[in-house]
Amino acid sequence: MWQQTLITLRARPRGFHLVTDELLAGLPELRACRVGLLHLWLQHTSASLTINENADPAVRRDFERFFNRLIPQGTADYEHNDEGLDDLPAHFKASVLGCQLSLPVTAGRLALGTWQGVYLGEHRDHGGARKVLATLYGDGE
């Protein structure tokens, strides 16, 4: 079976956000997949997707502080600032973290580890809604 769905994630403030449940809500056909892969492609250059801790929100706050120190905003060295001081730093963060994930599917569920969840890294102050193209490939029940 092949299934492709465009999921629109609601707008969020800058930071790292657990979006696993929102993605799954947009993929009811996942429940019929016995074994397969789910590919997620974020259609933006100023946000990112990654997998990490799904229980303690402090991890997401620490991620935001770390990446803001790693890639500071407002430095005079950046030429590209068409949409504000957060413009190029958002592109850098998105490139470091990436815009795609491939996740295993087992028995109609994502085969994530106990403490794993999908993060949306929103790297803009006002990024707006984000679109994720979800492609599911696998054997149905």
Side-chain angles (χ1 to χ4, degrees):
M1 85 187 221
W2 281 94
Q3 174 72 37
Q4 194 167 69
T5 305
L6 185 63
I7 300 169
T8 301
L9 300 175
R10 65 179 173 78
R12 289 174 164 79
R14 185 170 160 169
F16 288 83
H17 306 278
L18 194 58
V19 296
T20 313
D21 289 343
E22 192 172 353
L23 290 166
L24 292 175
L27 293 166
E29 53 279 336
L30 185 88
R31 290 183 287 251
C33 185
R34 188 177 55 79
V35 61
L37 283 174
L38 174 65
H39 182 261
L40 301 173
W41 178 264
L42 182 66
Q43 296 182 321
H44 301 275
T45 61
S46 58
S48 61
L49 292 174
T50 192
I51 301 286
N52 218 291
E53 163 76 45
N54 70 355
D56 185 356
V59 174
R60 295 187 296 278
R61 292 190 300 269
D62 288 338
F63 259 62
E64 178 67 7
R65 281 191 292 275
F66 171 80
F67 279 98
N68 286 338
R69 281 193 309 273
L70 182 67
I71 303 169
Q73 182 173 304
T75 177
D77 293 338
Y78 302 154
E79 182 178 343
H80 178 76
N81 61 5
D82 294 348
E83 298 176 11
L85 295 177
D86 65 343
D87 197 0
L88 190 61
H91 295 308
F92 286 156
K93 292 171 187 176
S95 286
V96 168
L97 288 161
C99 65
Q100 64 180 320
L101 298 172
S102 290
L103 305 170
V105 177
T106 303
R109 301 173 49 106
L110 292 180
L112 295 172
T114 302
W115 304 109
Q116 291 181 320
V118 179
Y119 285 11
L120 170 72
E122 177 53 70
H123 307 306
R124 299 298 310 270
D125 292 329
H126 306 286
R130 299 300 191 166
K131 295 188 183 307
V132 176
L133 186 63
T135 304
L136 176 62
Y137 172 73
D139 288 332
E141 295 186 296

